[in-house]
Amino acid sequence: MQANSVIKISLLFCFYTLLPSALLAQKQMENLDRGVLAVRTDKNQVLVSWRILAHEFEKVSFNVYKNNVLLNETPISGASNFVDETNEDSSYSVSAIVDGKEQNSSQPVKVWKDIYKKIPIQAPKGGTSPDGREYIYMANDASVGDLDGDGQYELVLKWQPSNAHDNAHRGYTGNTILQGLELDGTVLWSIDLGRNIRSGAHYTQFMVYDLDGDGKAEVACKTADGTVDGLGKVLGNADADYRNSRGYILEGPEFLSVFSGFTGEFLATTNYIPARGKVSDWGDNYGNRVDRFLACVAYLDGKKPSLVFSRGYYTRTVLAAFDYRNGKLTNRWVFDSNDKGNEAYYGQGNHNIGVGDLDGDGKDEIQFGSCAIDDDGTGLYSTGLGHGDASHLGDFDPNREGLEFFMPHEVANGTTIPTIDFRDPKNGQVLWSVKGKGDIGRGVTADIDPNHIGTESWASNGSGVHNTKGDIVSTNYPTAGRRGASYNMFAWWDGDLLREIVDKTVITKWNASTQSTDMLLKAYDYDGMQLRSNNWTKSNPCLIADILGDWREEIIWRNEENTELVLFSTPYPTEERIFTLMHDPLYRVSIAWQNVAYNQPAHTGFYLGAGMKKPKTPDISLVKTNKAK
C-alpha cells in the first residue's frame, strides 16, 4: 500500500468524523409509495405488510384497513405488519399517522392467494447463429426501478439466448434483450442490443437507477452498432457485423448508452471508456480478458448517483465514471492501472463489484476486489491479494466502526495470498485471514447464528465457519438441502434478524442448536410450478430485493418454460421494526449491481442481525415523484 494513500485516508477520516452529520451530503433516493402487500399464509390468515420510509422512521405509526374498516385498536408503532385472522379475500390499505394526524390512505390492494405472485412473460423469438446452431431465449437476471415515476417498482429483465458464452469459450451467440415490465407482466418496452454485443455474464452489465433525479429510473449499458432502442431506433450502422469466425467481437465501435426506463428510447450515448485498443494488451490475443466488464452506481459526490463502468480485472484494469445530467452523459474521471503510480492496482479485480462509503467522508468509493478506488477516481488502496470470484461489503461487525469486506481468493498460494480475508475497506488492513492454497471460488458472509455477534463467514477452502474475529465456530457448513455446502445467495426472509440461505430454488435456515440446516421453502416444485435458477453453478434467482411490503426481501425465480416469473414474499410475521432497505444507500446501490457478472447478495450499510441496535435514519433526500403520462 502506498504511504500517501495512508496519509490521505487518515486525514479524511479524522476530518469527516468531526463533522455533524447534517453537514454531510444527502444522497438522492427514490420516493416510494407504501408498498402494501397482503399475502394469504393459510386458509384463515392474511399477512399484511408495508414500507416504512426512512425519513418517517422515528415518528410514524399506522392504521390498517380492510374494506375501509379499521382493524387495529391502537395505532401500530412497531413492526410494519399485521396478521388478519380471516378466510375472506378482501382489500387492504394502510395510512400513516404523523404527529397525531392520520395521512391519506394508500391505494387498496387485493390479497394474494398464496405467498407468490405470477408475472406472465413471453420469450423473444429464437434464431439460428451463423454456424447453423439454433437457440432459444431464457429469462435471466433482473433489476428494479421506478420506471414511470409512480412510486412503485417495475422490473427490467435480461433475456439471454441458450447459446450465451463465457469469454473463455468460442462460439456465436444470439442477441441480448432487455425488457421493461410492470409487475402484472405488461411489457413497457424491449431493447435489442444487437449482434455486436456478445451474450453472457461478462458483457452486458445493465444499471437501473434514477440517475438525474427526475423521479423515473433510467437504464444504462454497453451498446454497439445495431443496438435497437424501445422505440425502434437503431444505433450506428444497422448492417455492421463485427463477429469473427470464433464468435468474438474484437473490432468496431463501442458505446455507453442511457435509455429511458419508461419508453426504452435512447437518451444519451457516448464512446465506451476504455476503448479495447490492442486486444493482446489485456492479457491474451483471442478476446477473453479484453471483454471482462463490470458496472455499478455510486454517489461519488455524496449527493447524486453516477455510473461507473469498467474493463478488465485479470491484468490491466480501467474504470470510468459518468454523470447523466440534463440529458447528457459526461465523463467524471478515468482510473487506469497502466498509469504511473497505479501499478499496485494491476490484476486486482473480481467477477463482481461493491460500492459504499468506505472512508467515512459521505461519498461512495468503489470496492474492486482486492483494491478500492476513491470517489475522485484515485487509488484508495491495493492489498495485492489478486483476483477472486466473490465479495461482500457491508457492516458485518457492530463492534467496529465503519464497514467490513470479505473475499475469497482464486490464487491462494499458502504464503502471501490467503484463501479468504476479512478486511477493513477504508485502508485495506486485513483483520483476519486463513492460509492455504488453491482456487477458492466461493465464499459468503451473513449473520446466521445468534450466538455470535456479527456475521459468520465461510468459503470453499474447507476451514469451517468463522466469526468476525476469524475464530472457527462450526466445522459444519450451511447447506441447501441435499446439495451440500451453500455459498451463493441470502435473503432476510423469516421474522427474525438472521439471514436465510438461498441456493438454486430453495431457502434454508441455519439451526444453531443442531449445527445443521433446516428447509424453509422448496420453490422448485411449489404448487407444481417447476421453477429454475440462473447462471449455472452460481444458481441465483433472477433477483433478491426488498421490492414490496416491509423490510424483508422478495425473491424472483423463472419457471422452466420461461413463460412466468414468480415473485415470492415471506409468509412469516415479524416483530422487528426497520425502514425499507431500499432507503439504505449501500443496500440500494447493491441491488443495482446484483446482476453484474457473478451475482452476489446485497448487504446493508448498518448492522442488520442478532443483537443489532436501532438503525439510524440514513442521511438521504427523496426525489419528487413524476408520474409519466
Side-chain angles (χ1 to χ4, degrees):
M1 181 177 170
Q2 301 168 353
N4 62 343
S5 295
V6 175
I7 295 171
K8 177 182 178 182
I9 293 164
S10 299
L11 290 174
L12 283 172
F13 186 73
C14 291
F15 176 74
Y16 280 103
T17 52
L18 294 175
L19 284 176
S21 60
L23 295 181
L24 296 177
Q26 288 188 321
K27 294 177 178 177
Q28 164 198 302
M29 302 296 288
E30 293 154 312
N31 197 345
L32 300 172
D33 71 2
R34 194 57 63 195
V36 179
L37 180 61
V39 173
R40 182 162 295 285
T41 56
D42 67 30
K43 64 180 181 179
N44 293 313
Q45 191 175 84
V46 172
L47 175 63
V48 185
S49 67
W50 58 91
R51 293 188 184 108
I52 302 177
L53 307 179
H55 69 279
E56 64 185 14
F57 180 57
E58 297 288 345
K59 58 185 178 181
V60 70
S61 58
F62 298 95
N63 282 333
V64 179
Y65 293 88
K66 178 171 69 174
N67 297 335
N68 296 318
V69 176
L70 181 65
L71 295 181
N72 48 295
E73 295 181 359
T74 59
I76 298 171
S77 58
S80 56
N81 63 175
F82 181 90
V83 176
D84 186 23
E85 304 291 344
T86 180
N87 58 11
E88 299 176 353
D89 289 335
S90 305
S91 294
Y92 293 85
S93 60
V94 174
S95 61
I97 303 171
V98 181
D99 296 329
K101 296 181 179 180
E102 187 168 13
Q103 311 298 305
N104 292 336
S105 179
S106 66
Q107 290 294 317
V109 298
K110 294 182 179 180
V111 178
W112 290 7
K113 303 290 185 182
D114 206 316
I115 64 170
Y116 65 84
K117 173 184 177 65
K118 291 183 177 181
I119 303 172
I121 55 176
Q122 183 173 353
K125 184 179 180 181
T128 304
S129 59
D131 57 4
R133 299 188 179 188
E134 295 183 353
Y135 60 88
I136 60 172
Y137 277 92
M138 296 178 288
N140 191 251
D141 295 331
S143 191
V144 291
D146 183 359
L147 302 183
D148 57 12
D150 63 355
Q152 301 174 4
Y153 281 125
E154 288 78 38
L155 296 175
V156 176
L157 175 66
K158 181 173 80 169
W159 286 97
Q160 188 163 282
S162 55
N163 62 351
H165 285 294
D166 185 281
N167 306 51
H169 304 285
R170 64 180 295 173
Y172 292 97
T173 73
N175 299 358
T176 298
I177 309 293
L178 299 178
Q179 197 170 71
L181 297 169
E182 297 278 5
L183 292 186
D184 63 2
T186 300
V187 177
L188 298 175
W189 46 260
S190 291
I191 296 169
D192 185 340
L193 294 182
R195 66 170 70 95
N196 294 310
I197 296 290
R198 206 167 187 238
S199 289
H202 301 290
Y203 309 98
T204 295
Q205 319 305 348
F206 61 102
M207 294 294 101
V208 181
Y209 218 84
D210 182 2
L211 299 171
D212 58 1
D214 69 348
K216 299 190 292 294
E218 288 76 38
V219 180
C221 65
K222 184 173 179 285
T223 55
D225 280 351
T227 295
V228 183
D229 76 2
L231 299 183
K233 181 180 178 180
V234 181
L235 179 65
N237 181 0
D239 298 323
D241 187 347
Y242 299 111
R243 297 172 294 180
N244 64 22
S245 61
R246 295 170 59 88
Y248 288 96
I249 301 162
L250 304 180
E251 58 182 3
E254 301 173 287
F255 307 110
L256 172 63
S257 293
V258 174
F259 301 86
S260 165
F262 182 56
T263 65
E265 66 181 311
F266 285 116
L267 296 178
T269 295
T270 190
N271 290 331
Y272 193 88
I273 300 175
R276 67 171 68 86
K278 187 178 179 181
V279 170
S280 59
D281 287 346
W282 297 88
D284 61 62
N285 60 11
Y286 69 96
N288 180 8
R289 288 167 172 79
V290 69
D291 272 5
R292 296 282 178 164
F293 302 104
L294 300 173
C296 62
V297 172
Y299 291 84
L300 300 175
D301 65 0
K303 297 180 180 180
K304 296 182 179 181
S306 298
L307 294 165
V308 180
F309 279 75
S310 73
R311 181 178 228 133
Y313 39 73
Y314 289 119
T315 54
R316 182 189 178 192
T317 294
V318 182
L319 292 84
F322 297 87
D323 295 335
Y324 177 68
R325 311 278 189 265
N326 301 315
K328 296 182 179 180
L329 264 175
T330 57
N331 179 226
R332 175 179 281 265
W333 50 252
V334 178
F335 176 89
D336 191 337
S337 64
N338 277 5
D339 289 347
K340 185 177 180 180
N342 292 340
E343 294 85 355
Y345 296 83
Y346 186 88
Q348 300 301 308
N350 268 25
H351 290 304
N352 33 67
I353 200 167
V355 178
D357 182 6
L358 305 185
D359 57 14
D361 65 356
K363 303 175 184 179
D364 282 344
E365 286 73 43
I366 312 303
Q367 183 66 61
F368 202 80
S370 288
C371 67
I373 310 303
D374 208 347
D375 55 81
D376 61 0
T378 61
L380 185 63
Y381 76 83
S382 177
T383 63
L385 299 180
H387 170 71
D389 285 1
S391 63
H392 302 265
L393 176 69
D395 189 353
F396 303 140
D397 184 353
N399 293 325
R400 289 187 72 257
E401 289 292 329
L403 305 176
E404 291 78 37
F405 184 69
F406 176 71
M407 176 181 167
H409 295 278
E410 188 171 290
V411 287
N413 60 11
T415 55
T416 58
I417 300 177
T419 59
I420 56 176
D421 80 292
F422 193 82
R423 189 187 317 161
D424 185 342
K426 72 173 178 289
N427 56 20
Q429 177 189 0
V430 175
L431 302 174
W432 60 265
S433 62
V434 175
K435 289 185 177 181
K437 295 182 179 180
D439 177 353
I440 313 305
R442 296 287 190 280
V444 290
T445 191
D447 187 22
I448 62 169
D449 191 327
N451 298 314
H452 312 282
I453 192 69
T455 64
E456 287 72 45
S457 307
W458 65 98
S460 55
N461 63 342
S463 64
V465 180
H466 301 259
N467 63 17
T468 57
K469 304 302 179 185
D471 302 323
I472 296 175
V473 297
S474 178
T475 55
N476 292 338
Y477 281 91
T479 64
R482 293 176 293 177
R483 187 174 177 228
S486 178
Y487 311 101
N488 285 335
M489 300 292 283
F490 296 112
W492 282 290
W493 176 256
D494 66 7
D496 63 28
L497 294 169
L498 301 173
R499 213 155 190 200
E500 284 65 58
I501 299 151
V502 181
D503 205 347
K504 281 201 168 179
T505 49
V506 301
I507 304 175
T508 58
K509 186 176 185 67
W510 178 248
N511 188 323
S513 61
T514 63
Q515 297 284 285
S516 62
T517 316
D518 298 330
M519 182 68 68
L520 294 186
L521 179 70
K522 296 179 181 179
Y524 56 84
D525 61 355
Y526 197 93
D527 271 4
M529 288 188 289
Q530 298 298 306
L531 302 184
R532 295 294 179 261
S533 58
N534 291 330
N535 302 318
W536 303 100
T537 60
K538 314 310 178 291
S539 302
N540 58 275
C542 300
L543 181 67
I544 301 176
D546 179 13
I547 302 171
L548 293 165
D550 61 30
W551 59 274
R552 270 86 58 79
E553 293 175 294
E554 282 69 48
I555 306 175
I556 300 177
W557 283 286
R558 62 179 175 91
N559 70 353
E560 187 174 43
E561 294 79 17
N562 293 289
T563 58
E564 293 174 337
L565 301 179
V566 183
L567 188 156
F568 279 82
S569 187
T570 181
Y572 303 97
T574 183
E575 297 180 356
E576 307 298 337
R577 177 182 170 95
I578 300 174
F579 53 79
T580 175
L581 300 188
M582 293 300 235
H583 276 176
D584 175 62
L586 190 147
Y587 180 89
R588 184 63 187 93
V589 296
S590 299
I591 295 302
W593 58 244
Q594 188 181 118
N595 63 70
V596 168
Y598 292 179
N599 305 57
Q600 302 290 284
H603 300 285
T604 52
F606 61 92
Y607 173 65
L608 203 172
M612 70 178 287
K613 297 179 181 178
K614 179 181 177 180
K616 295 181 180 179
T617 301
D619 197 18
I620 63 175
S621 62
L622 303 184
V623 302
K624 294 181 179 180
T625 54
N626 185 16
K627 176 65 177 176
K629 301 297 183 182

